Amino acid sequence: MNIDHIEAFLYVVHYKSIHKAANALFLSQPTVTARIKSLERELNVELFHRDGRSVILSDKGKDFVPFATQIVQTFEQGKKQLEETKEPDEVCIGTNGVTAQYFLAYALPKWKKDFPHLRFQIITGSTAVILEKLQSHQIHLGLVQYVHMEGICNELLLSNAVKLVMHREHPFIQQNLMKAKDLAQQKMVFFECGAFDWNYVHKMFEVEGVSANIEVRTDHLEVAKEFIRTREYMSFLPHLCVKKELESGEFVEIDVKHLLDMNQHIFLTYKNKATLAPAFWKTLQETAIQYESIQENSN
C-alpha cells in the first residue's frame, strides 16, 4: 500500500475537493485522481461517490478514515525517529592548531578509510572558543586541554610533552644538570599557543630569580621554527610540532627535565557521545594509541 495514495485520500477528505487537495499537495488534479483510484482498487471499495466535480465520502470511505489517519501518523512518527537517530554524514571537530596540524593530519586518512561516508570539518581556536562551540552544538567534539564544566565530559587522548629545542649548529653547549640562569642568557623565540599553560616555563626561570630572554613572540609555529633555523634562537615547543626535526637531527633537544617536565595532555571533550556512532569513538581512541606508539618508537 503506497503511503502517498493514503495521504492523497486524507487530503481529499479534508478539503472535500480533488482540485483543492491537488493544490495543497502541489500535484496535478489527474495525479491525485489516479492515486485515489489506485487506492480504491487495492482496497476493492469505492471511497468516494462522484457527482460531476464533487466528491462525497462513501460509508466505506468513512470507515477507512481513522485507519488511514493512523497509518500516516505512524509513518511520520517513524520517519521523525529515524531522522533523529540517523548518524551524521559530517563530523565537526574543534581543536587547537597544533593538534589539527599534526595529530589530525595523521588520523583523518585512517578515519576516512574506516568510515568512507563521513566528511570532516575542522575548526581551530582556543580552548574557550572550542568550548563555546561545543556547548552551542556547533561541533561534535573537541580535542583540547582538560575542561572542568558541568555537562562536559573529558577523556584523555594524547600526551604532548614540551621540549626545549635548538638548531644542531646553535653555539650553545649543553651541560649536565643545566641551570635556568644559563638558559636565561640565550635568545628565545616564544611560541604562544593557547593549548598550553606556559606559566610553568616562566616559573622555571623565576625560581632562580631570572627571566627568560624572550626576543620574539609568535603564535605561528612555522615562524618559531624559522627563527630556530637561524641558529641563534631556542624555543619551548610541543613535541608534536618538532618530532620530524628531532628525528632528522636538524633540531636537538636541550635536556631540562630536572627543571621542567611539562606534559600537556590533550583530551577528547564532548557533551553527548550519542551524536556519533560508537564505532567512530572507538576508532578515534585507537588511532590516538597508534599515534603515540609511533612517537615513542621514534624517540
Side-chain angles (χ1 to χ4, degrees):
M1 187 173 289
N2 193 315
I3 196 73
D4 291 335
H5 295 173
I6 299 174
E7 185 181 47
F9 165 72
L10 290 175
Y11 268 73
V12 175
V13 170
H14 176 76
Y15 287 102
K16 299 181 177 62
S17 163
I18 290 178
H19 174 70
K20 291 180 180 178
N23 289 338
L25 288 166
F26 299 99
L27 297 172
S28 67
Q29 188 169 329
T31 298
V32 174
T33 300
R35 289 183 180 184
I36 297 298
K37 288 183 178 180
S38 293
L39 183 60
E40 287 178 326
R41 285 195 299 270
E42 190 167 3
L43 295 173
N44 196 29
V45 297
E46 188 178 48
L47 297 172
F48 296 98
H49 298 304
R50 295 162 178 83
D51 182 13
R53 293 185 179 183
S54 301
V55 289
I56 302 171
L57 195 61
S58 68
D59 290 340
K60 292 291 185 181
K62 292 177 183 178
D63 291 340
F64 185 61
V65 168
F67 296 101
T69 301
Q70 185 177 6
I71 290 170
V72 172
Q73 288 178 345
T74 302
F75 175 78
E76 291 299 328
Q77 288 171 357
K79 183 179 177 182
K80 181 180 179 182
Q81 178 66 25
L82 290 174
E83 289 176 349
E84 290 177 351
T85 58
K86 185 173 66 174
E87 295 178 11
D89 58 5
E90 181 176 80
V91 178
C92 298
I93 302 172
T95 186
N96 59 71
V98 170
T99 305
Q101 185 174 352
Y102 294 93
F103 172 64
L104 289 182
Y106 166 86
L108 284 183
K110 297 182 179 296
W111 297 346
K112 280 294 294 182
K113 185 177 180 181
D114 290 344
F115 304 93
H117 66 287
L118 286 181
R119 293 175 290 110
F120 295 91
Q121 180 182 5
I122 309 301
I123 298 174
T124 60
S126 66
T127 297
V129 169
I130 298 305
L131 180 59
E132 181 182 345
K133 292 184 179 297
L134 192 63
Q135 291 178 307
S136 59
H137 304 283
Q138 296 180 57
I139 60 176
H140 291 98
L141 61 97
L143 303 179
V144 293
Q145 65 189 91
Y146 184 85
V147 176
H148 181 68
M149 181 170 289
E150 185 177 354
I152 299 296
C153 301
N154 299 271
E155 293 182 20
L156 179 61
L157 189 73
L158 293 168
S159 294
N160 190 12
V162 174
K163 307 283 188 180
L164 177 58
V165 297
M166 64 182 181
H167 193 272
R168 65 189 175 197
E169 295 180 9
H170 191 289
F172 182 76
I173 300 174
Q174 281 207 61
Q175 307 168 23
N176 292 328
L177 297 178
M178 191 77 58
K179 294 183 179 181
K181 64 180 181 180
D182 297 322
L183 296 174
Q185 298 175 20
Q186 303 300 317
K187 293 192 293 186
M188 289 196 176
V189 53
F190 204 71
F191 174 50
E192 297 180 319
C193 174
F196 300 94
D197 185 358
W198 294 112
N199 287 326
Y200 288 104
V201 175
H202 292 295
K203 288 177 181 177
M204 183 188 81
F205 291 97
E206 289 175 2
V207 293
E208 291 197 27
V210 294
S211 298
N213 182 19
I214 300 172
E215 289 200 354
V216 180
R217 294 179 183 270
T218 179
D219 61 356
H220 197 294
L221 175 63
E222 294 305 319
V223 171
K225 287 185 180 181
E226 287 305 311
F227 272 93
I228 295 173
R229 291 187 175 103
T230 65
R231 299 163 176 76
E232 295 183 16
Y233 292 85
M234 56 181 61
S235 181
F236 287 94
L237 295 175
H239 184 224
L240 287 177
C241 305
V242 290
K243 179 174 172 288
K244 290 183 179 179
E245 288 82 0
L246 290 172
E247 287 176 0
S248 68
E250 181 185 11
F251 292 176
V252 294
E253 180 184 357
I254 303 171
D255 187 5
V256 292
K257 293 186 182 68
H258 58 290
L259 297 173
L260 176 73
D261 189 7
M262 187 173 167
N263 196 353
Q264 296 286 329
H265 299 302
I266 297 170
F267 286 83
L268 171 58
T269 307
Y270 57 89
K271 289 193 70 175
N272 182 9
K273 267 195 170 181
T275 57
L276 298 172
F280 177 77
W281 293 105
K282 182 180 178 183
T283 297
L284 195 159
Q285 290 279 13
E286 289 175 347
T287 307
I289 293 171
Q290 294 167 5
Y291 182 76
E292 288 205 318
S293 177
I294 292 172
Q295 286 197 94
E296 290 172 2
N297 292 335
S298 65
N299 291 341

